[in-house]
């Protein structure tokens, strides 16, 4: 006949282990390791977080022939990239880099509609502009990878009031206007533009065409990828 020992207060197990523990049935019970793992895995999966990327785009990137550098970072085989500024927004997403001039391929954890969902978010490790930032998908579902236009917006890391921002390098083609999709969800924005070569601020006019886009115009043609724009919106 098994003998039960009632314990009260602190008890030194002397390095021993509790084995054959059943699942807890009440909040005051001791959960089994199986229950703990199930709870942890469920919490992680509900976050919709993908592994960090090394660098994020600042403008359109040729998917068929990868560049050697991105946002000031020299790329290496196996690097994970976030493309969020594609001219064809259906190309936006997470990619793996093989070599300069070679095609970029979508990462295995974000190449199907079941893996790319509204609320997906990812952090960026390096970059002149986007280091230590986070981005999330604000496109409504369902999402078909390669078909649905996907919008990545700055992840709202502030609470109780603050500022959200979006940065971009452009325009993708030379011209007198430059339309930027910032995904900040408001027309109440402040826009500043700098010349990349001289780092001098440029006097431009801006028109918030929608809650998520702004069109910048200048009196002279804007050279391709010659300017850096920062759009700031107040969040509450």
């Amino acid at each position: 006949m098994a003998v039960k020992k009632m314990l009260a207060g602190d008890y030194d197990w002397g390095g021993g282990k509790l084995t054959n523990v059943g699942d807890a049935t009440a909040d005051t019970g001791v959960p089994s390791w199986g229950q703990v793992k199930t709870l942890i895995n469920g919490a992680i999966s509900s976050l919709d977080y993908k592994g960090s990327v090394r660098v994020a785009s600042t403008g359109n990137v040729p998917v068929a022939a990868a560049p050697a550098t991105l946002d000031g970072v020299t790329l290496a085989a196996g690097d994970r990239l976030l493309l969020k500024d594609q001219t064809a927004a259906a190309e936006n997403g997470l990619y793996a880099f093989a070599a300069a001039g070679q095609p970029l391929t979508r990462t295995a954890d974000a190449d199907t509609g079941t893996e790319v969902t509204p609320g997906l978010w990812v952090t960026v490790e390096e970059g002149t502009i986007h280091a230590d930032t986070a981005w999330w998908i604000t496109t409504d579902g369902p999402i078909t990878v390669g078909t649905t236009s996907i919008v990545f917006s700055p992840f709202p890391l502030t609470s109780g009031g603050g500022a959200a921002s979006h940065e971009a390098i452009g325009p993708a083609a030379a011209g007198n206007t430059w339309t930027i999709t910032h995904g900040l969800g408001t027309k109440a924005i402040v826009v500043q533009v700098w010349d990349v070569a001289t780092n001098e601020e440029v006097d431009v006019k801006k028109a918030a065409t929608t809650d998520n886009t702004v069109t910048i115009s200048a009196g002279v043609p804007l050279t391709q990828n010659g300017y850096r724009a920062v759009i700031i919106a107040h969040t509450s």
Side-chain angles (χ1 to χ4, degrees):
M1 178 178 177
V3 177
K4 295 182 179 179
K5 183 177 181 180
M6 303 302 293
L7 302 178
D10 297 335
Y11 187 83
D12 184 358
W13 292 98
K17 300 177 181 178
L18 279 174
T19 59
N20 197 28
V21 176
D23 289 347
T25 57
D27 289 344
T28 55
V30 177
S32 67
W33 179 234
Q35 282 182 306
V36 172
K37 288 192 293 183
T38 298
L39 289 171
I40 292 174
N41 290 336
I44 292 174
S45 63
S46 68
L47 293 175
D48 209 2
Y49 172 72
K50 300 299 181 183
S52 64
V53 297
R54 185 181 181 196
V55 66
S57 64
T58 58
N60 187 71
V61 173
V63 174
T69 63
L70 195 61
D71 195 12
V73 176
T74 300
L75 302 176
D79 281 347
R80 289 167 59 89
L81 315 176
L82 168 62
L83 301 191
K84 57 181 180 57
D85 307 287
Q86 295 302 98
T87 302
E91 292 182 349
N92 285 336
L94 305 183
Y95 287 82
F97 176 84
Q102 296 297 311
L104 293 171
T105 57
R106 292 186 186 267
T107 59
D109 62 345
D111 59 356
T112 67
T114 57
E115 298 166 334
V116 180
T117 56
L120 176 156
W121 65 288
V122 63
T123 53
V124 182
E125 299 170 3
E126 302 178 35
T128 301
I129 295 175
H130 292 313
D132 304 320
T133 60
W135 300 82
W136 68 332
I137 291 178
T138 53
T139 303
D140 293 335
I143 293 174
T144 301
V145 175
T147 301
T148 305
S149 294
I150 298 175
V151 175
F152 278 89
S153 302
F155 192 80
L157 298 176
T158 58
S159 61
S165 65
H166 177 83
E167 300 183 36
I169 298 291
N176 286 355
T177 61
W178 175 18
T179 298
I180 302 171
T181 300
H182 53 73
L184 297 175
T186 179
K187 293 180 181 178
I189 56 175
V190 175
V191 180
Q192 290 180 285
V193 179
W194 288 268
D195 186 302
V196 171
T198 64
N199 205 33
E200 293 182 355
E201 189 169 354
V202 179
D203 185 20
V204 297
K205 295 181 179 180
K206 62 96 175 174
T209 48
T210 72
D211 285 349
N212 291 301
T213 59
V214 61
T215 297
I216 295 169
S217 59
V220 296
L222 299 169
T223 57
Q224 182 179 16
N225 294 327
Y227 300 89
R228 174 190 176 199
V230 177
I231 301 110
I232 301 173
H234 178 74
T235 60
S236 58

